[in-house]
Each structure stands twice: as structure tokens, then as C-alpha cells.
């Protein structure tokens, strides 16, 4: 059985960028529900109980039985994506490490150009989904996924992800997704993202 991570900050901590009500609902209702449904699906598949949630997604097409694959894609993806999302936020301003900055400059030109390209990708996700900074074959790349699909299933390592489902921003920003994305940049924990990069490159 997987469990809901405790957030390392209070629901109010990311105000005024991310409002407390959205943070609390997002964590205690949306994230919790993906987790509960994943655990429910896996309770009927004991052969998968040795795999971590990330491994489930990495091995989705090879080891997860076809009859539960779509549910694991949705609920396992929802669980792992939200783990990463909430982990990557902080009320304290941080900066990319030298190693990550160097890699971003190599693959995108500059940190600013990377942010612009990521913002563009997140803005133009049609419907519900995610935009990602991923590591793939030692290169950084910006990708998007629909619904709760995970970059892990494509053989990529997600380093940073933004949830652009409306539940992530509608209470505060209504239909103004670009304002939510601008707010996101104020609360990204670059230290966490840098650590992820350095552990996986
Ligand atoms: Mn969400």
C-alpha cells in the first residue's frame, strides 16, 4: 500500500501565489483520491506489490496486466505526478544548481529561454494534463502529457512538472491559466529539482 506524503510546508505557505484552499483540496481530495484508487486496484494484483509506484509506471506496458493497465496509468500516474508536483514547491526562493544551470544553458540557451519554452508548453496543453522538464538520454527536454500520463512510462525522468488541470488553479485564477503558470515560477523549489537532476544524470 502506498501512502500520501506529508507536505513539507503549510497549505497557507505558498500564498499569495497558490491559495490555501486550492492547496488543501488538491492534496487532501485530488491527490488522496488518486492514491486510494491506486491502492484499490493493486489490492487485486498482489504480484505487483513489490514494485514502487514509479516502477509500476516505468513497467506499465510490460509488467502490468492489460486488464488493469489503464487504471494504473490514471491512478498511479495521478499519485506519482502529484508526489513530484507538491515536492517541487517551496515558499523560499531557491535557484538551480550550477550543474543544472549549465545543462539548461546547453539544451535551451538560458534559464530564461527554458522558462519561456516551458511556459509556452504548459499554456498550450489542450484540456487536462501536465507540462514537464524531463531528462532523457542525458538531455533535458520539455514535454507534455495528457490526463495523468507519466513521463516515466515513456522512459523519461521527470525533474519538474506543472499540473494544468483546472482543479490546480480554478478557485483562484478561474480560466487564467497563464497567471497560474506565472505564479508557479515564484514557488518552484529549484534545490529539489537540482537534486533530482544530479541523482539521475
Ligand atoms: Mn492535480
Amino acid at each position: 500500500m502506498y501512502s500520501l506524503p506529508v507536505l513539507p510546508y503549510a497549505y497557507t505557505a505558498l500564498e499569495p501565489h497558490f491559495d490555501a484552499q486550492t492547496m488543501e483540496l488538491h492534496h487532501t481530495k485530488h491527490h488522496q483520491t488518486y492514491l486510494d484508487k491506486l491502492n484499490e486496484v493493486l489490492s487485486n494484483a498482489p504480484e505487483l506489490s513489490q514494485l514502487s509506484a514509479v516502477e509500476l509506471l516505468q513497467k506499465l506496458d510490460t509488467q502490468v496486466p492489460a486488464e488493469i493497465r489503464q487504471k494504473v496509468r490514471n491512478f498511479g500516474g495521478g499519485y506519482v505526478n502529484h508526489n513530484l508536483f507538491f515536492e517541487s514547491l517551496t515558499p523560499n526562493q531557491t535557484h538551480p544548481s550550477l550543474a543544472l544551470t549549465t545543462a539548461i544553458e546547453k539544451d535551451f540557451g538560458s534559464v530564461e529561454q527554458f522558462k519561456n519554452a516551458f511556459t509556452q508548453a504548459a499554456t498550450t496543453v489542450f484540456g487536462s494534463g501536465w507540462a514537464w522538464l524531463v531528462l532523457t538520454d542525458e538531455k533535458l527536454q520539455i514535454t507534455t502529457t495528457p490526463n495523468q500520463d507519466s513521463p516515466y512510462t515513456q522512459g523519461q525522468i521527470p525533474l519538474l512538472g506543472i499540473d494544468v488541470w483546472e482543479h490546480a488553479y480554478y478557485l483562484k485564477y478561474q480560466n487564467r491559466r497563464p497567471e497560474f503558470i506565472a505564479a508557479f515560477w515564484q514557488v518552484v523549489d529549484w534545490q529539489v529539482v537540482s537534486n533530482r537532476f544530479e541523482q539521475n544524470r
Side-chain angles (χ1 to χ4, degrees):
M1 299 286 265
Y2 305 111
S3 58
L4 193 70
V6 176
L7 302 191
Y9 44 78
Y11 294 127
T12 52
L14 307 181
E15 296 265 11
H17 311 293
F18 286 7
D19 63 291
Q21 193 187 8
T22 298
M23 287 298 295
E24 183 166 2
L25 286 171
H26 204 174
H27 186 233
T28 64
K29 305 293 183 200
H30 296 277
H31 196 179
Q32 179 76 53
T33 300
Y34 293 120
L35 167 65
D36 291 345
K37 291 190 170 179
L38 176 64
N39 281 333
E40 191 186 311
V41 171
L42 293 183
S43 66
N44 297 312
E47 72 276 18
L48 299 176
S49 66
Q50 298 310 310
L51 297 181
S52 71
V54 165
E55 287 170 331
L56 277 178
L57 298 170
Q58 287 173 323
K59 297 172 180 179
L60 187 69
D61 294 322
T62 53
Q63 295 201 18
V64 177
E67 57 275 20
I68 61 169
R69 195 172 292 152
Q70 190 59 40
K71 287 183 176 173
V72 173
R73 179 188 298 276
N74 293 344
F75 306 138
Y79 172 59
V80 168
N81 291 345
H82 287 82
N83 287 352
L84 185 135
F85 178 68
F86 287 124
E87 237 173 56
S88 308
L89 305 176
T90 178
N92 306 310
Q93 180 118 51
T94 59
H95 300 283
S97 67
L98 182 59
L100 180 56
T101 301
T102 304
I104 287 175
E105 287 171 349
K106 178 170 147 280
D107 292 326
F108 301 102
S110 68
V111 173
E112 215 44 48
Q113 280 173 291
F114 155 68
K115 282 187 176 180
N116 290 341
F118 184 99
T119 295
Q120 176 68 15
T123 305
T124 53
V125 170
F126 183 74
S128 297
W130 293 72
W132 303 98
L133 171 65
V134 300
L135 193 57
T136 171
D137 299 329
E138 295 177 26
K139 263 185 69 101
L140 296 174
Q141 202 183 316
I142 293 167
T143 64
T144 64
T145 56
N147 306 310
Q148 294 296 352
D149 287 9
S150 164
Y152 283 119
T153 307
Q154 329 272 346
Q156 302 164 335
I157 308 283
L159 302 179
L160 175 67
I162 183 170
D163 183 350
V164 294
W165 284 55
E166 284 186 346
H167 69 231
Y169 61 88
Y170 206 84
L171 285 178
K172 183 174 172 79
Y173 295 106
Q174 291 83 47
N175 61 329
R176 304 187 303 279
R177 188 192 287 179
E179 287 181 34
F180 164 68
I181 300 167
F184 171 76
W185 290 122
Q186 303 301 310
V187 294
V188 168
D189 192 338
W190 282 108
Q191 216 163 313
V192 167
V193 179
S194 299
N195 288 346
R196 242 179 239 137
F197 170 69
E198 280 156 48
Q199 283 157 15
N200 287 290
R201 74 187 162 137

